Amino acid sequence: MDTTVINILCLILLFVGILGTFLPVLPGLLLSICGLLIYKFGTDADLPMIYVWAFSILTAASVVLSYVIPAKTNRKYGGTRWGSIGSVVGTIVGIFLPIPLGFLIGMFAGVFIGELLHDSKDMNKALRSTKGAFIGFIYGTGFSFVVGVAMFLVVLLNMFNII
């Protein structure tokens, strides 16, 4: 296959991966890392392996952090272990719901329900905890977005022999 076609395919994957960091219907950084790997191994690119390793580690960290950060920020905003567990369980259940943004709705519902199961009389605490989970989601999404943009720029700069 022509190198130009492969380069264009890689840039498309990287760009769609960036979109996927905040559009939950796309696999985000997994598409970006695929674009990076195809660029590295599908062309005669002289991209150093350190970039492949670094972005692979950051992508794996992002996947883990997308579950952990909302659970931790939930606790920072007064949530309990119940809300943290609800966050993880709700996210996993929400992935399988046939509705748009199911994982996100599941995460928030999980935190809220978990906190109400812990203390059914304190709805304000459950709402604060859910707010913490939302802030954590924003942090995690921001991290993934920055990693995706960095991958895109590294490949683009390497294509033009800048790095």
Side-chain angles (χ1 to χ4, degrees), residues 36-158:
L36 178 81
L37 292 172
I38 291 170
Y39 176 71
K40 170 65 178 163
F41 299 111
T43 67
D44 58 349
D46 60 345
L47 183 70
M49 277 302 292
I50 189 70
Y51 288 110
V52 174
W53 285 108
F55 285 126
S56 295
I57 291 168
L58 289 170
T59 298
S62 173
V63 169
V64 171
L65 290 175
S66 68
Y67 293 99
V68 173
I69 290 176
K72 293 293 183 186
T73 53
N74 145 47
R75 305 264 320 248
K76 183 178 179 183
Y77 279 78
T80 63
R81 186 168 185 248
W82 287 77
S84 295
I85 293 169
S87 170
V88 174
V89 170
T91 301
I92 293 169
V93 169
I95 289 171
F96 298 104
L97 294 177
I99 58 173
L101 303 175
F103 81 99
L104 193 58
I105 293 167
M107 177 183 61
F108 297 141
V111 171
F112 190 75
I113 292 168
E115 292 299 337
L116 287 179
L117 287 173
H118 179 260
D119 184 4
S120 62
K121 296 181 190 332
D122 196 354
M123 189 173 289
N124 285 332
K125 182 178 180 183
L127 289 172
R128 281 192 314 276
S129 180
T130 305
K131 175 184 170 187
F134 176 73
I135 291 170
F137 170 75
I138 298 297
Y139 286 160
T141 300
F143 176 78
S144 296
F145 180 77
V146 168
V147 171
V149 169
M151 260 192 261
F152 183 84
L153 290 175
V154 163
V155 169
L156 193 63
L157 293 172
N158 190 265

